[in-house]
Amino acid sequence: MKFQPVIGLEVHVQLKTDSKIFCGCSTRFGAEPNLNTCPVCLALPGALPVLNQKVVEFAIMAGLATNCSITPTNIFARKNYFYPDLPKGYQISQFDLPICLAGHLDIAVGDQTKRIGITRIHMEEDAGKLVHGQGGGSGVDLNRAGTPLLEVVSEPDMRTADEAVAYLKKLYQIVTYLGICDGNMEEGSFRCDANISVMPVGSDTFGTRAEIKNVNSFKFVKAAIEYEISRQCELIEDGGKVVQETRLFDPNKGVTRSMRGKEEAHDYRYFPDPDLVPVVISNDWIKRVKGDLPELPETKFNRFLTDYSLPEYDADVLTSSRPLADYFEQCAQSCNNAKSAANWIMGELTRSLNDNGIAVEKSPVSPVQLADLIKLIDGGTISGTIAKKVFEELWKNGGEAAAIVEQQGLAQVSDTGAIETAIDQIMAANMGQVEEYRGGKDKVFGFFVGQVMKAMKGKANPAVVNDLLKQKLAG
Amino acid sequence: MSINQHEIEHVAKLARLSLRDDEKQLFTGQMEAILAYVETLNELNTDGISPTSHAVPMENAFRPDCVTPSIGHDRALANAPDKNETYFRVPPVIE
Ligand SMILES: [Zn+2]
């Protein structure tokens, strides 16, 4: 039997606020356990939550950027369940009136565009963290309790693991562009639950789904979904039945396994939280947030095509993150040669950044330094080969491209006298090849260019070398 | 609306309460009476009235995104029944 997988994703986006969603405790990651806590996030009796306005603004931004409608009246609800990382015995979340509804994102699948529906986005608080192996028990750290989250729920519109990853990357790109999430997946700032089912090809009834919890890298999402699809297909082919359950992905073994003991969990008895008054979002407020939205990846991509005449591939790579796009724009505007800036950034710069594990915003070579280097090439002062050496020098020791060229005597030689002398010497030493060339073997020309450049230590102007060689070899 | 003992058992389980059989019977009757009383609200015509989530006519109570001092782990743990270093300690949780 052939199966059709059906995938929907729930993504938890940790918002980049300074303070928690309902209290003034810091959201800083990595503090000593329970340091950033107060009566509100510890759930001490009588403590009352007060909503952080920035959380609402960030949620509106996310909704506008994902084509959602913004709900005018928002209610917070209590989601009741017991778990040691949840001090109140309920999580403050949104239920029937989430802040954003009915949006979508377009992803690229091969050379097609596919629209993935977004069912809803709601605001909620994160739980604390459990640490195991605490002298026969588990440790509870409530620093994270009350950290603001957006939960972004997609429609079950994805059919392959690759589509799921493409959707996730798109969403990631948007929330990091918006600056509402720091995007640190290792610290859990962007994590994903995947709902997966399979049905016979041609069927229109979805199969029973399993939910895979908390997968926190694009690579693991792909592996977890692929494993789960094949597990379900094999199970059904062997006459078994998929049960609705929560599963965990084990990245070491590459498998998902059942999380037992949460069988009665889906009865959360949601009800409006009486401690939090409704949040009413006016059209003016939405307009104001819309006006302040940064340029989004798609718009930037299109602008790069028109403003800088870049090929689609370049525009796509350069808009993959906001810092990279900013770097490119500063460099291109400073050197007035967008294509060359794009090539250098996607080539030498990206390679050096990757090799050293450095983010582009921390690049030791600034956009202006790189632009100055490109200007030297465009002005004919140095060749592309020499420029790579200068770039290495800039990377290691900083400074200015022009000064490095000057100090190290790297300027290109266009002086015909010096080049002619070199050519004469090389022709004299290689009379055999000269005869071959004159006998019609054009390929030997490359040999001479190489020899001349070598003799000139790469500093000869290639165009001048070509012209002079042709003249002299012609005899 | 009538409520049966099975529902009482379900709610008790969700609330982590263990009830004796006679308690289950007692609460089934009491819950039924409470729900029957609340049921009288259904006699009112609520057409065109949006659901009430809050009794206080107030909206948009916000605080700015500013960090205020926390109480720190020593005070946070002062009343903890059990702790280890600066963690609250609970019975082992298996995931
Ligand atoms: Zn707090």
Side-chain angles (χ1 to χ4, degrees), chain A residues 33-289:
Chain A
N34 294 305
L35 192 65
N36 299 330
T37 56
C38 74
V40 172
C41 54
L42 289 166
L44 299 188
L48 286 171
V50 185
L51 180 60
N52 183 339
Q53 183 163 358
K54 203 162 205 178
V55 173
V56 183
E57 306 232 350
F58 281 180
I60 299 172
M61 288 169 80
L64 292 175
T66 53
N67 313 291
C68 290
S69 61
I70 307 299
T71 309
T73 302
N74 280 264
I75 304 293
F76 280 98
R78 293 185 179 180
K79 179 181 180 179
N80 300 279
Y81 66 94
F82 292 116
Y83 210 65
D85 62 9
L86 189 73
K88 292 192 292 296
Y90 60 85
Q91 177 192 27
I92 303 177
S93 181
Q94 292 191 281
F95 184 52
D96 49 359
L97 289 170
I99 186 160
C100 311
L101 279 168
H104 64 260
L105 287 182
D106 293 332
I107 59 166
V109 180
D111 50 8
Q112 306 274 330
T113 298
K114 181 169 176 174
R115 180 155 290 185
I116 307 296
I118 289 176
T119 317
R120 57 184 282 156
I121 301 176
H122 66 252
M123 302 174 278
E124 63 182 25
E125 59 177 341
D126 206 347
K129 217 162 58 185
L130 285 173
V131 187
H132 304 293
Q134 288 283 309
S138 293
V140 183
D141 172 10
L142 296 177
N143 282 343
R144 202 181 62 184
T147 299
L149 299 177
L150 293 183
E151 181 173 327
V152 183
V153 183
S154 85
E155 292 287 308
D157 286 346
M158 288 150 278
R159 295 292 174 266
T160 64
D162 286 332
E163 286 181 21
V165 172
Y167 163 82
L168 268 186
K169 285 192 170 163
K170 190 86 191 231
L171 183 62
Y172 179 88
Q173 191 188 28
I174 287 174
V175 295
T176 50
Y177 255 75
L178 290 173
I180 62 173
C181 173
D182 68 15
N184 193 326
M185 294 178 84
E186 278 139 53
E187 292 175 4
S189 298
F190 187 91
R191 44 194 206 260
C192 170
D193 300 342
N195 288 308
I196 300 160
S197 66
V198 299
M199 60 184 177
V201 167
S203 165
D204 52 10
T205 314
F206 290 171
T208 307
R209 66 193 163 95
E211 183 182 20
I212 307 173
K213 279 273 180 209
N214 263 339
V215 197
N216 62 357
S217 86
F218 296 123
K219 203 174 97 196
F220 291 163
V221 167
K222 186 169 153 69
I225 292 175
E226 280 171 351
Y227 173 84
E228 184 59 21
I229 290 170
S230 66
R231 184 189 73 87
Q232 293 186 13
C233 293
E234 280 168 30
L235 189 63
I236 296 169
E237 275 175 338
D238 293 347
K241 266 180 122 176
V242 176
V243 289
Q244 186 165 346
E245 62 177 350
T246 306
R247 300 178 69 85
L248 266 188
F249 178 66
D250 179 343
N252 295 321
K253 297 199 179 86
V255 301
T256 64
R257 57 185 168 80
S258 182
M259 280 172 85
R260 280 164 292 268
K262 277 202 158 181
E263 67 283 346
E264 210 168 353
H266 291 287
D267 190 348
Y268 294 124
R269 296 155 296 145
Y270 283 96
F271 64 89
D273 192 320
D275 290 344
L276 289 154
V277 297
V279 177
V280 177
I281 301 168
S282 65
N283 284 331
D284 279 352
W285 192 359
I286 296 174
K287 228 185 270 168
R288 205 164 61 236
V289 174

Side-chain angles (χ1 to χ4, degrees), chain A residues 17-26 32-39 42 50-54 56 75 82-84 130-132 134-142 257 264 267 269 272-274 276-280 285, chain B residues 6-7 9-17 51-79 82-95:
Chain A
T17 55
D18 293 330
S19 65
K20 294 186 180 181
I21 182 168
F22 299 122
C23 63
C25 290
S26 166
E32 233 183 304
N34 294 305
L35 192 65
N36 299 330
T37 56
C38 74
L42 289 166
V50 185
L51 180 60
N52 183 339
Q53 183 163 358
K54 203 162 205 178
V56 183
I75 304 293
F82 292 116
Y83 210 65
L130 285 173
V131 187
H132 304 293
Q134 288 283 309
S138 293
V140 183
D141 172 10
L142 296 177
R257 57 185 168 80
E264 210 168 353
D267 190 348
R269 296 155 296 145
D273 192 320
L276 289 154
V277 297
V279 177
V280 177
W285 192 359
Chain B
H6 179 73
E7 281 165 296
E9 283 168 0
H10 175 63
V11 173
K13 189 171 178 188
L14 288 173
R16 303 295 188 270
L17 295 173
T52 305
S53 61
H54 294 75
V56 189
M58 209 186 134
E59 60 192 39
N60 292 2
F62 296 125
R63 38 171 282 271
D65 181 30
C66 293
V67 174
T68 53
S70 297
I71 64 170
H73 43 52
D74 291 338
R75 291 176 69 201
L77 289 156
N79 292 322
D82 192 12
K83 60 191 166 193
N84 186 33
E85 291 166 356
T86 68
Y87 288 102
F88 293 93
R89 184 159 52 192
V90 296
V93 180
I94 309 131
E95 273 183 354

